Amino acid sequence: MPALILDNISKTFWTGVYGFQKQKKIIENINLKVFENEVFGLIGLNGAGKTTTIKIILGLLKPTTGHCTILNGSVENRQIRNQIGYLPEAPYFSRQHSGRELLNFFGSLYELTGKKLRNRVDEILDVVQMRHAASEKIFTYSKGMLQRIGIGQALIAHPKLLICDEPMSGLDPVGYKEMRDIFLELKHRGTTVFLNTHDLNEVERICDRIGIIYKGRLLKTEEMSHVLGSTHLLKYWIELDQMDFEQIQNWPVPWIKNQDGIQIEGDQLPEALNRLASQKIYPKSIRPLSSTLEAFFLKAIQDFNEAKDHEKHF
Ligand SMILES: Nc1ncnc2c1ncn2[C@@H]1O[C@H](COP(=O)(O)OP(=O)(O)O)[C@@H](O)[C@H]1O
Ligand SMILES: [Mg+2]
């Protein structure tokens, strides 16, 4: 069952100063389904249109064309809205209150009171690993703690769908790992998550499926397992011994040769290794020059730009 259906969504903004205004297409014809129990990551460069897409999903912006179905209904419907948790890109919480007070407040918005509220807040504090700092004031929190309490407020009413805009941006490595563990836990529990990010490392471990958004267009959606299997898109660095390197200097091969090794495309790897081995040359090390997801992402953008260029010329 889809938890979210974007049907031909476009958004145009007026930009520029009065008298010189023009229309700018920010989102163009996005069609997307996000299924129940999946963690979906919308990835794209800064300015690609990720936040705009989320705001349209949440009903904070009206699409210029198209239609959004969320949890089988409309975001206009309060009952549907109550089943959505949202962590904004830059959440603002009253800093003079404690984390527990903040969660109490959000819980009360969903009409939780008394023991029910206390129990739920305790549960959430455990999920987001904030029990130890629950009584401390929010202004004392680190960026990671702020993001975790932010996820906590989004989870308070057992949302069927959790929507997070750049949940990991600006976190240090420890904060990053803690946040990743929370998402892995949510995934384990079967929470449906839609998240936005420009950080590819973020999604690799967490997401079941990704979408690539570029200049307001959804270029591709793909299962993460398929993305990670696309190793043919990688470039590899093969480090050689100096003597071996000299030996291959004059080989007529399409490899990029450098001081202490060669750089090759992924689909050249088996042949290259064979060829080296046939001359009894064994690499000192072999490593991919990027993550598979990064290669997949860049390839999607490159394909799109090439298709555009082709359109221009013909
Ligand atoms: N209210 C607005 N009016 C005009 N342009 C906007 C508005 N909001 C966003 N944009 C533009 O839309 C593009 C996409 O923005 P956004 O969705 O925030 O990107 P992302 O979240 O992927 O970084 C950007 O170029 C941004 O400047
Ligand atoms: Mg954004």
Side-chain angles (χ1 to χ4, degrees):
M1 277 288 269
L4 181 63
I5 305 173
L6 303 190
D7 179 15
N8 209 31
I9 298 285
S10 300
K11 180 71 188 172
T12 306
F13 282 121
W14 284 97
T15 60
V17 291
Y18 185 72
F20 297 93
Q21 283 178 314
K22 56 177 190 196
Q23 286 196 319
K24 193 173 161 200
K25 275 191 177 171
I26 302 294
I27 299 288
E28 265 190 85
N29 307 104
I30 291 195
N31 289 294
L32 173 67
K33 281 186 183 147
V34 174
F35 297 95
E36 272 175 17
N37 307 111
E38 94 174 336
V39 179
F40 183 89
L42 184 66
I43 58 179
L45 307 173
N46 287 327
K50 303 180 295 294
T51 298
T52 306
T53 307
I54 280 194
K55 286 184 175 165
I56 290 172
I57 293 170
L58 291 166
L60 300 172
L61 280 176
K62 280 231 168 309
T64 312
T65 71
H67 184 75
C68 231
T69 309
I70 188 160
L71 303 172
N72 290 324
S74 157
V75 75
E76 308 274 311
N77 179 334
R78 193 187 156 87
Q79 259 158 343
I80 300 266
R81 274 209 307 277
N82 281 350
Q83 299 176 51
I84 304 169
Y86 170 45
L87 177 68
E89 192 167 14
Y92 178 80
F93 303 126
S94 164
R95 302 172 74 80
Q96 294 304 324
H97 291 93
S98 70
R100 182 182 288 279
E101 284 168 331
L102 180 90
L103 294 180
N104 281 337
F105 170 71
F106 278 96
S108 67
L109 293 182
Y110 292 96
E111 286 157 22
L112 288 174
T113 52
K115 197 159 184 272
K116 259 192 172 162
L117 177 62
R118 253 195 330 276
N119 288 346
R120 183 61 186 153
V121 168
D122 281 340
E123 257 171 51
I124 291 287
L125 287 167
D126 286 339
V127 172
V128 300
Q129 300 162 29
M130 283 293 288
R131 180 86 80 137
H132 65 288
S135 315
E136 285 163 32
K137 295 254 192 316
I138 289 178
F139 71 81
T140 65
Y141 286 2
S142 68
K143 170 90 182 159
M145 290 159 93
L146 268 177
Q147 286 296 89
R148 296 212 302 279
I149 210 78
I151 289 268
Q153 65 73 27
L155 287 172
I156 196 101
H158 296 280
K160 278 201 176 148
L161 173 64
L162 176 65
I163 297 183
C164 301
D165 198 347
E166 308 271 0
M168 311 243 207
S169 80
L171 298 186
D172 61 29
V174 175
Y176 200 93
K177 184 185 175 302
E178 285 166 341
M179 196 58 136
R180 198 180 60 201
D181 289 347
I182 291 172
F183 276 104
L184 290 174
E185 173 65 21
L186 292 176
K187 181 176 158 134
H188 181 70
R189 293 175 181 215
T191 314
T192 310
V193 181
F194 180 99
L195 66 88
N196 267 357
T197 180
H198 63 271
D199 182 342
L200 301 180
N201 295 323
E202 191 171 301
V203 293
E204 205 162 294
R205 288 272 308 278
I206 300 171
C207 293
D208 301 309
R209 210 154 58 88
I210 55 151
I212 296 176
I213 184 170
Y214 180 64
K215 296 187 176 172
R217 295 167 175 93
L218 187 67
L219 301 186
K220 232 176 190 164
T221 57
E222 192 54 86
E223 298 283 331
M224 200 60 186
S225 53
H226 183 266
V227 173
L228 296 179
S230 308
T231 48
H232 61 285
L233 297 175
L234 290 171
K235 291 179 173 29
Y236 288 90
W237 177 250
I238 302 182
E239 189 192 3
L240 298 173
D241 202 77
Q242 184 63 35
M243 298 250 287
D244 291 335
F245 184 72
E246 278 159 23
Q247 196 183 325
I248 68 152
Q249 270 289 14
N250 299 319
W251 287 10
V253 282
W255 308 340
I256 299 173
K257 299 171 199 150
N258 206 330
Q259 276 304 309
D260 54 356
I262 52 178
Q263 182 189 315
I264 56 164
E265 303 290 327
D267 52 7
Q268 298 170 335
L269 185 66
E271 197 223 311
L273 291 179
N274 255 334
R275 205 163 174 150
L276 292 170
S278 70
Q279 297 300 313
K280 301 223 172 330
I281 297 175
Y282 300 103
K284 279 166 77 177
S285 69
I286 303 173
R287 63 187 164 84
L289 288 172
S290 67
S291 74
T292 323
L293 177 57
E294 191 178 331
F296 188 86
F297 178 74
L298 293 174
K299 177 80 165 68
I301 291 176
Q302 187 190 347
D303 287 351
F304 172 80
N305 283 330
E306 278 174 13
K308 275 263 143 202
D309 275 355
H310 191 78
E311 261 174 41
K312 257 190 232 157
H313 287 105
F314 294 97

